[in-house]
Structures are given as structure tokens and as C-alpha cells.
Amino acid sequence: MKRIILLASIISLAAALTASAAEPKETWTASCARCHGADGKGQTNMGRKLGAKDYTDGTVQAALTDADAVKAIKEGYTDKDGKSVMKPAQNLSDSDIKGLVAYMRTFKK
């Protein structure tokens, strides 16, 4: 009986941890697409206003390291004049952020 309870507890914990990690596409849609676009081109009204980069462009992707992308998501991003153009992401785990960066990489054509 103790084994069954322990096993059930472990399965419940694993399910809870799995459910807490959002799918990268869902996170992108909820947190990034308003500016960067669902397709990563940055051609939304807000994206054009803020100068969002086109992540379908291989040159743009090559110039952006994963570490820099993670930093921008975690800390936000300011333009060359020091103006905040992207706020830090809230309530995203390191795993969620890593997934976002990997998802962003899929836009490259």
C-alpha cells in the first residue's frame, strides 16, 4: 500500500511539473507575438513602432546569440538611446525561456 501511495505521489508531482512548463508556441503567442508577430517577422503595428527584428532573416538570427536572447527575455531590452523597448518576461522559468529561444530559431528561413 505504501508503494502505491508513493508511486501515485511521484506521478502526480511529475504531472504537475510537466503541466507547469508551457509549450513554447503558446508562450510565444501569449508573450511575444504582439510585437514580434506570430511568424517572427516583427511586422505588427507595435513591432514596426519599436523596431522589432525579423527573426525569419538568417543574418538577424546569426547576429543574436542564445545567451543574448535569454538575457533580453529575462532582463528586458533597451535601444541604443537607453529607452526600454521590451520589458522583462514575468513568470517564465529558465526552461520556458530556453524553449522560447529554440522556438524563435524555427522562424529562420
Side-chain angles (χ1 to χ4, degrees):
M1 186 66 165
K2 287 181 183 180
R3 286 183 183 179
I4 293 173
I5 293 171
L6 179 62
L7 183 58
S9 297
I10 291 171
I11 291 172
S12 296
L13 178 62
L17 291 174
T18 302
S20 70
E23 290 295 319
K25 183 177 181 179
E26 293 170 7
T27 303
W28 179 272
T29 300
S31 302
C32 310
R34 180 172 178 222
C35 298
H36 294 285
D39 59 2
K41 291 185 177 191
Q43 292 303 304
T44 64
N45 289 336
M46 188 62 72
R48 285 191 293 274
K49 179 180 176 183
L50 297 174
K53 296 194 176 10
D54 179 357
Y55 292 131
T56 65
D57 184 332
T59 306
V60 170
Q61 289 241 8
L64 180 65
T65 66
D66 286 356
D68 287 340
V70 167
K71 181 179 179 182
I73 295 167
K74 282 185 173 185
E75 300 175 12
Y77 183 75
T78 56
D79 65 14
K80 62 184 177 206
D81 298 325
K83 179 183 174 191
S84 176
V85 292
M86 187 174 105
K87 294 180 181 180
Q90 300 292 317
N91 303 318
L92 293 180
S93 68
D94 287 344
S95 178
D96 291 336
I97 293 171
K98 184 177 178 182
L100 271 178
V101 173
Y103 184 72
M104 179 267 300
R105 296 291 186 201
T106 68
F107 294 128
K108 182 175 131 184
K109 296 190 178 187

